[in-house]
Amino acid sequence: MAEISKQYEPKDVQSKWFQIWEERGYFDADPDPDKPPHTIMIPLPNVTGALHMGHALNGTLQDLLTRWKRMQGYSALWMPGTDHAGIATQAVVERRMLEQEGLTRHDIGREALVNRIWKWKDSYEKRILNQLKQLGASCDWRRTRFTLDEVCSAAVRKTFLKLFRDGLIFRGKRLVNWDAYLQTAVADDEVYPEEIAGHFWTFHYPVVDDHGNPTGENLSFSTTRPETMLGDTAMCVHPSDERYTHLVGRKVLIPLNGRLIPIIADALLADKDLGTGCVKVTPAHDPNDYACGLRNQLEMINILNPDGTLNEVCGQFAGLDRYAARKEVVAEMEKLGYFEAVEERSIPLKHSDRSKTPIEPYLSDQWFVKMDTLAQSAMDAVEDQRVRFYPSRYSKTYMDWLGEKRDWCISRQLWWGHRIPIWYCETCTEEELKQAFAGREDINYTHDDENSCWLICAETDLPADALGPDHELRQDEDVLDTWFSSALWPHATLGWPNTEQNPPLNGEVQESTTGKNEVLDYFYPGNVLVTSRDIITLWVARMVLTGLYNMGDIPFSHVCIHPKILDGFGRTMSKSKGNGVDPMDLIDKYGTDAVRFTLASLAGETQDVKLPVGYEDPETGEVIPQEQFHTEAKPVDGEKPRVKFPKSKRELQYTSPNFEPDEGEPVARMVSERFEYGRNFCNKFWNATRFAMLNLEGYTPGKIDVKTLPLEDRWILSRLSQTAAEVTTCLERYQFDMATRTVRDFTWNEFCDWYLEMIKPRLRSEDQKAEAQRVLVAVLDSLLRLLSPFVPFVTEELWQKLGELAPERGIPEPMPAEEAVMIAVWPKLPKEWIDTEFEGRFERLRDSVIAVRNVRAVYGIPPGTPLTLRMRASDAIANDMNSVSGQFENLAKTVLEAAGAEVTRPEGSASFTIGEIDGYIPLGGVVDLKAELERQEKEASKLKGFISGHEKKLSNEKFVSNAPDDVVNNVRETLANLQSQLQSVEEVIAQLKKML
């Protein structure tokens, strides 16, 4: 007999089975002509990051799908990897370098900084990949890619060259979002608005005549950024604003620098009903002004240096930080007499998602991808349903963003990343280029007339003297936007552009037997992308357009968008808010299976999920709820924040994204009651399976004729077949919450609570045991298969135990079981097992047993007290009930004394009605009817008192109008519950009175 412990211990099971699965190659996915492919590309975690709840949910769903498809017979590839995360990674390393050594990147130089970041990457990449493994991720770890590795780099270079050759990449001066802290451009999608306390200043400029002399008229305007007056190149009014029409075409003087600027009319910029109706125009530092400047051919004057200080065009203010300059400019305008008023205001200001500092609109030279035709191709793919979103509403986000067809700024002023493969040469001729690069398909060049130089694009690095000693090639200093390499992930990871050789495994070259990249041909295009809505524009759309551009085909057919997990206060989780929840704490507390099962149950289609958490004292088990201030607390003077436990009086450091607890300190880890859902399920299933296995002594495999099985067997097989079909359908539709609920309800409510109880007598009977064991083992086999993608560790452990007891099993013919459940065949059970008639008969029995149990509860009859039951029903139903009469004794300690159409109600009996059945349970000698009537009448009186109090509260208009909505709603709900209880008690009283 296989030993199975009384309790499920997740930690022991998790480490053991993951290692075995990986060693046996169960996660490996290779081209197989006998299997269909299934491909999922992991949304790349940042190499500097740690696993957060978004990763945990996302990883759970991808792994669930991959395990399910693997069991369905697919060669299922889940491609793992990490993103170099240019801005985020460089920012972290630079910040640490400054804090610990007082050095900036300019102090140590490009090469030294990049080397430091590679060391950082090698250390931290292992952490997040190991955390994914702790989650049970069955990726093909041999294929792990990194967006800066040789395989991905080759794809980046090839794509850039292809776009450059096709005229889809260009360099131009445009207004961009500038992060002055990191000194780089950031994308529109990488900024967020935040309200800050600011000011709204009003000034005026004097109108001047043709000779620059004041006319006595002024134009008043308001601004939140007075320093930008130094870059004003026009004043703008509405063309129909009669107050100013006579001034259009005239000029005003900027008192700060003496510059004369025109007064223009532009209906798109000026609003005559807003403020003074007159606005200053700073095309180089405001997106609306920039558009106005293009429409009106205005000069564009940049007033900023890359670090946010004012540049040389700002005269006396040059060198000042923009915020210091703001104060000086206001003071100067006031001193000169051009200040009018100031008011405090809350101002919406864009912030960089990476540095969390305010963004400056900034005119600079950048590299762009032309998006018109590329975007249209990606839009067409969704319109003709080659790419489908689940839920479908998210296609609107995708279509709206691509529909703008804004050119994509792909350059970043960083040192960590894919350096832009462009070399400049100002001194060479076209003939010299032709001679040097003749026959080179990996090089393309064009002349930049505006800057009088040649732009040379190459797939591989060019030496400075590639054109000979007379010419020096200089590579562009910028790197590519991280999303440029991420956009190529679905085909770059499979080895593109190398179409003749398979991509490496574990870093080792893989030869192709066919002279083709079989991996790319087999696994591309993929099947589904599972991701959050946050990166539909940043990543999903770009993968589709680059896949179509490079491969001529979509990268995946389906895009599954899962909900976001919010903190207990309804806020998006983020490192900057300090409100992230560490999944490793939850796995440590509840086990991986419990965390996965709970997360899958939360993955519905309609809304995001709040996750309240608490902190647990590791010594006492005391838990306190997380408050918002816990998420905001940061170390002060080296002292790390602590949480206070009122019962034990202990103060402990706690898990937080804001700091690492001190080594050796006891740490209050995060816990959440929501994950009791998954843990309770795993424990329930473990205990039920343990009971089943303890009753398999003497098991022998054998044939089973389903048609001759008793009611409970026919019912459980019918429900099992139906459940397997429903779970399959739910997973096909990415309805993870419904799939989880379906398999849980069957396991908990039907298999554990009813079926196991019903077969106990047969398992004890020598005559009936063999057949009961065979059906039980077959049901358990299918159930382990169904649950395996959701809770892989507990099911594998139980599968192995079952294999020791029943290595051959199944219906109708026993078959040898697979060596592991994760590679077992997904259950596709016979439809013929589904029998609605048997299900109806069973439900009638179950409802009757529940009714008897309810009578016990209502009248306070102990479970061990024997009862008798009489049933009035048609002969057909009566015969059916008589055939399962033993189950009343088994499940309700009740003897079915009589059943038939002629049965009458005995005196002094409790009754119930279920459909066409009237049931009677004589209470004489079991219950003191008079005492019970008294007890019930007292209960009714007590309930009426409570009801009266709640009704008075709700009739008080002052209470209803002044109390918080949730308080009023709670009172209403409580009243409804009390009224329902009273109705039940009054029904019992009426029954008792009939008995007396």
Side-chain angles (χ1 to χ4, degrees):
M1 176 68 70
E3 285 188 20
I4 179 166
S5 61
K6 288 185 178 180
Q7 287 185 317
Y8 174 50
E9 299 294 344
K11 287 181 186 175
D12 300 337
V13 171
Q14 287 159 199
S15 56
K16 175 177 75 174
W17 285 113
F18 194 91
Q19 184 178 348
I20 290 173
W21 292 332
E22 197 169 13
E23 286 173 355
R24 291 181 181 175
Y26 291 163
F27 303 158
D28 299 351
D30 294 303
D32 185 337
D34 298 325
K35 290 182 176 182
H38 189 271
T39 309
I40 296 181
M41 292 285 166
I42 197 169
L44 309 172
N46 286 357
V47 73
T48 59
L51 202 69
H52 55 61
M53 287 310 298
H55 291 133
L57 172 62
N58 185 261
T60 293
L61 302 184
Q62 290 175 91
D63 191 55
L64 199 164
L65 289 173
T66 301
R67 288 175 180 271
W68 168 57
K69 285 296 179 181
R70 191 180 288 123
M71 293 176 76
Q72 283 191 319
Y74 289 78
S75 184
L77 170 63
W78 182 15
M79 174 66 75
T82 55
D83 196 324
H84 67 277
I87 295 178
T89 308
Q90 184 168 321
V92 169
V93 175
E94 281 198 70
R95 192 177 298 118
R96 290 208 170 197
M97 196 167 67
L98 185 62
E99 290 170 357
Q100 295 171 5
E101 304 172 63
L103 296 173
T104 70
R105 61 170 154 163
H106 301 290
D107 294 327
I108 67 170
R110 184 173 195 139
E111 186 177 348
L113 179 74
V114 170
N115 286 337
R116 284 186 181 225
I117 300 175
W118 272 108
K119 287 177 184 174
W120 171 273
K121 172 262 176 190
D122 291 339
S123 170
Y124 279 82
E125 183 180 45
K126 291 173 188 170
R127 178 177 68 168
I128 196 159
L129 294 180
N130 285 333
Q131 288 175 335
L132 279 167
K133 289 180 179 182
Q134 287 184 60
L135 192 65
S138 62
C139 300
D140 186 345
W141 296 104
R142 304 171 304 161
R143 300 187 183 278
T144 303
R145 299 259 63 86
F146 176 54
T147 50
L148 275 179
D149 68 21
E150 289 183 7
V151 174
C152 293
S153 294
V156 168
R157 285 291 187 89
K158 184 72 172 181
T159 303
F160 193 99
L161 177 67
K162 192 167 182 277
L163 289 165
F164 186 81
R165 180 180 283 127
D166 291 345
L168 295 175
I169 277 184
F170 66 95
R171 184 167 174 81
K173 197 176 283 290
R174 298 279 185 91
L175 197 70
V176 296
N177 299 306
W178 189 258
D179 184 326
Y181 179 82
L182 297 173
Q183 297 186 40
T184 181
V186 294
D188 290 341
D189 313 90
E190 295 170 315
V191 302
Y192 64 93
E194 188 174 298
E195 293 274 333
I196 65 159
H199 296 85
F200 200 58
W201 288 272
T202 301
F203 304 98
H204 63 261
Y205 286 164
V207 179
V208 296
D209 59 23
D210 294 341
H211 303 290
N213 300 314
T215 63
E217 289 186 273
N218 296 309
L219 287 184
S220 297
F221 59 92
S222 298
T223 181
T224 59
R225 297 187 298 157
E227 72 279 8
T228 61
M229 289 190 285
L230 296 164
D232 285 352
T233 56
M235 289 296 291
C236 180
V237 298
H238 195 278
S240 65
D241 193 335
E242 294 178 357
R243 293 172 294 176
Y244 305 119
T245 48
H246 68 288
L247 294 176
V248 174
R250 305 281 292 277
K251 291 184 178 179
V252 295
L253 172 77
I254 302 177
L256 293 165
N257 53 21
R259 185 188 306 129
L260 299 179
I261 58 174
I263 302 170
I264 63 169
D266 190 312
L268 295 178
L269 185 66
D271 183 343
K272 62 183 179 182
D273 299 319
L274 196 63
T276 65
C278 190
V279 294
K280 62 192 270 314
V281 188
T282 321
H285 295 286
D286 181 274
N288 294 320
D289 292 5
Y290 176 71
C292 173
L294 292 175
R295 287 193 298 272
N296 295 277
Q297 292 86 48
L298 298 177
E299 184 183 4
M300 299 194 182
I301 301 173
N302 175 30
I303 65 166
L304 293 177
N305 291 312
D307 63 355
T309 58
L310 271 60
N311 63 24
E312 68 281 356
V313 305
C314 299
Q316 70 190 77
F317 305 102
L320 291 175
D321 178 80
R322 61 200 186 280
Y323 299 118
R326 182 173 297 173
K327 293 178 182 177
E328 295 289 329
V329 164
V330 171
E332 184 69 10
M333 287 291 281
E334 189 168 9
K335 175 182 162 187
L336 295 172
Y338 297 100
F339 168 82
E340 293 186 9
V342 63
E343 61 180 273
E344 292 185 355
R345 229 179 233 200
S346 184
I347 299 166
L349 198 61
K350 286 182 179 180
H351 285 68
S352 166
D353 189 48
R354 293 305 177 193
S355 68
K356 312 303 177 189
T357 58
I359 282 292
E360 287 293 336
Y362 183 74
L363 193 66
S364 68
D365 286 313
Q366 302 289 341
W367 286 94
F368 294 88
V369 172
K370 291 181 182 176
M371 286 288 281
D372 47 2
T373 57
L374 294 172
Q376 188 58 53
S377 70
M379 293 171 72
D380 293 344
V382 167
E383 283 180 343
D384 62 23
Q385 296 204 321
R386 280 175 288 156
V387 175
R388 298 177 65 182
F389 280 80
Y390 296 81
S392 59
R393 66 179 180 274
Y394 287 112
S395 63
K396 186 177 187 305
T397 305
Y398 173 99
M399 295 296 283
D400 286 352
W401 183 78
L402 284 172
E404 294 176 12
K405 297 183 178 176
R406 279 179 295 160
D407 291 339
W408 174 13
C409 176
I410 57 170
S411 48
R412 297 292 181 268
Q413 289 63 53
L414 303 168
W415 290 350
W416 172 246
H418 292 279
R419 194 163 174 183
I420 287 178
I422 291 287
W423 283 259
Y424 300 93
C425 185
E426 291 88 1
T427 58
C428 65
T429 64
E430 187 171 5
E431 277 306 310
E432 288 172 310
L433 288 168
K434 284 180 180 178
Q435 277 184 355
F437 302 132
R440 294 280 299 270
E441 289 297 315
D442 61 335
I443 292 179
N444 190 264
Y445 45 85
T446 187
H447 194 261
D448 180 353
D449 295 335
E450 187 177 339
N451 294 295
S452 302
C453 68
W454 285 95
L455 305 178
I456 306 161
C457 182
E459 272 191 67
T460 54
D461 284 354
L462 297 175
D465 61 355
L467 294 175
D470 296 334
H471 307 290
E472 183 182 1
L473 299 190
R474 176 177 49 85
Q475 188 176 359
D476 195 295
E477 292 289 326
D478 292 350
V479 299
L480 287 166
D481 175 14
T482 297
W483 295 105
F484 188 92
S485 51
S486 301
L488 311 178
W489 188 248
H491 52 285
T493 52
L494 300 175
W496 184 91
N498 188 340
T499 57
E500 298 173 358
Q501 192 175 47
N502 292 328
L505 295 176
N506 292 323
E508 295 181 6
V509 174
Q510 300 296 304
E511 297 299 331
S512 169
T513 56
T514 62
K516 290 183 177 180
N517 184 337
E518 299 146 330
V519 174
L520 180 63
D521 291 345
Y522 184 78
F523 287 113
Y524 190 94
N527 298 80
V528 59
L529 178 76
V530 182
T531 189
S532 166
R533 64 177 180 269
D534 293 348
I535 52 177
I536 289 174
T537 56
L538 285 167
W539 193 43
V540 179
R542 288 167 176 167
M543 280 191 289
V544 175
L545 67 86
T546 58
L548 289 165
Y549 179 68
N550 283 335
M551 300 293 296
D553 202 351
I554 55 172
F556 33 73
S557 305
H558 296 166
V559 181
C560 169
I561 304 295
H562 58 68
K564 289 175 73 170
I565 297 183
L566 311 176
D567 71 7
F569 313 102
R571 302 177 301 169
T572 299
M573 290 186 187
S574 73
K575 192 170 183 179
S576 62
K577 290 193 183 91
N579 63 342
V581 175
D582 186 350
M584 295 300 106
D585 276 5
L586 301 175
I587 285 173
D588 190 56
K589 170 75 175 174
Y590 303 101
T592 297
D593 286 331
V595 170
R596 287 171 60 111
F597 197 75
T598 303
L599 289 173
S601 76
L602 301 176
E605 295 184 337
T606 53
Q607 58 188 11
D608 295 336
V609 180
K610 280 187 185 179
L611 185 64
V613 298
Y615 301 102
E616 183 179 56
D617 184 330
E619 187 176 300
T620 66
E622 182 183 352
V623 175
I624 61 164
Q626 184 187 69
E627 302 288 346
Q628 201 158 320
F629 70 84
H630 291 135
T631 69
E632 295 162 357
K634 293 182 180 177
V636 178
D637 297 329
E639 274 294 308
K640 299 201 173 153
R642 295 176 179 267
V643 289
K644 297 177 183 178
F645 291 91
K647 290 180 183 174
S648 66
K649 311 295 183 189
R650 281 157 55 91
E651 295 186 12
L652 303 178
Q653 292 182 19
Y654 57 95
T655 303
S656 170
N658 295 331
F659 57 88
E660 285 285 340
D662 292 326
E663 199 171 332
E665 278 271 348
V667 178
R669 302 290 181 190
M670 290 184 183
V671 295
S672 173
E673 284 186 2
R674 294 201 85 148
F675 292 91
E676 296 289 351
Y677 175 87
R679 182 163 70 175
N680 291 343
F681 175 78
C682 291
N683 289 338
K684 174 92 170 179
F685 182 56
W686 178 271
N687 293 334
T689 305
R690 181 175 183 275
F691 165 80
M693 290 183 183
L694 291 174
N695 283 275
L696 291 182
E697 191 172 353
Y699 167 83
T700 57
K703 292 184 180 181
I704 295 172
D705 183 356
V706 173
K707 292 180 181 177
T708 64
L709 292 173
L711 172 66
E712 62 268 24
D713 287 349
R714 295 286 298 273
W715 167 74
I716 199 68
L717 291 177
S718 178
R719 291 296 306 125
L720 177 63
S721 180
Q722 203 158 319
T723 299
E726 286 174 10
V727 171
T728 301
T729 299
C730 289
L731 292 179
E732 285 169 348
R733 295 173 179 172
Y734 309 109
Q735 295 169 329
F736 300 102
D737 58 337
M738 289 178 63
T740 310
R741 188 163 56 248
T742 300
V743 75
R744 180 196 180 276
D745 288 350
F746 173 81
T747 306
W748 190 298
N749 300 334
E750 297 178 323
F751 177 73
C752 297
D753 286 356
W754 286 95
Y755 181 66
L756 288 182
E757 292 298 319
M758 292 181 76
I759 64 171
K760 280 180 180 178
R762 291 166 61 208
L763 292 171
R764 292 192 290 262
S765 165
E766 287 303 320
D767 294 338
Q768 302 177 67
K769 182 167 75 169
E771 184 178 69
Q773 286 178 333
R774 289 167 189 162
V775 176
L776 173 59
V777 163
V779 171
L780 195 51
D781 175 284
S782 291
L783 190 48
L784 286 166
R785 295 171 194 259
L786 276 177
L787 286 167
S788 177
F790 299 86
V791 284
F793 294 105
V794 67
T795 50
E796 193 65 80
E797 182 72 7
L798 292 171
W799 179 272
Q800 301 300 326
K801 301 290 186 190
L802 185 62
E804 293 176 37
L805 295 164
E808 292 185 19
R809 52 191 187 253
I811 298 177
E813 297 272 356
M815 301 285 288
E818 294 92 334
E819 67 175 3
V821 72
M822 77 155 284
I823 57 165
V825 174
W826 179 254
K828 191 175 181 182
L829 303 175
K831 288 183 181 178
E832 299 76 50
W833 287 5
I834 299 174
D835 192 320
T836 53
E837 181 194 342
F838 268 87
E839 289 190 27
R841 288 171 60 191
F842 177 85
E843 284 165 15
R844 196 156 51 213
L845 168 63
R846 181 175 59 187
D847 291 347
S848 300
V849 170
I850 290 170
V852 173
R853 289 174 176 173
N854 286 343
V855 169
R856 283 187 184 275
V858 167
Y859 293 101
I861 305 168
T865 302
L867 297 176
T868 58
L869 170 65
R870 299 171 67 83
M871 285 183 153
R872 181 165 62 205
S874 67
D875 289 342
I877 293 175
N879 289 337
D880 199 25
M881 287 298 170
N882 281 320
S883 71
V884 292
S885 60
Q887 291 297 350
F888 286 101
E889 172 67 26
N890 177 36
L891 301 171
K893 193 70 176 172
T894 300
V895 175
L896 181 59
E897 196 174 64
E902 308 305 319
V903 169
T904 57
R905 176 175 185 168
E907 278 191 32
S909 62
S911 68
F912 61 82
T913 300
I914 295 168
E916 301 171 52
I917 298 173
D918 291 321
Y920 309 113
I921 300 174
L923 299 180
V926 177
V927 174
D928 182 336
L929 299 180
K930 285 186 180 177
E932 183 62 22
L933 179 60
E934 267 183 48
R935 187 176 76 82
Q936 295 288 352
E937 285 177 335
K938 279 182 184 175
E939 181 65 18
S941 177
K942 186 171 74 173
L943 287 168
K944 285 174 182 175
F946 289 147
I947 287 168
S948 174
H950 282 70
E951 285 176 338
K952 280 178 186 174
K953 243 184 188 179
L954 292 172
S955 64
N956 182 340
E957 285 185 25
K958 209 170 187 181
F959 168 76
V960 174
S961 56
N962 293 336
D965 289 345
D966 59 335
V967 172
V968 176
N969 289 334
N970 282 339
V971 174
R972 288 194 175 115
E973 284 175 21
T974 305
L975 175 60
N977 287 334
L978 290 167
Q979 289 169 334
S980 176
Q981 289 176 47
L982 179 61
Q983 184 180 349
S984 298
V985 170
E986 287 177 337
E987 286 172 5
V988 173
I989 290 170
Q991 280 209 15
L992 285 167
K993 285 181 176 176
K994 286 180 185 175
M995 296 180 204
L996 292 169

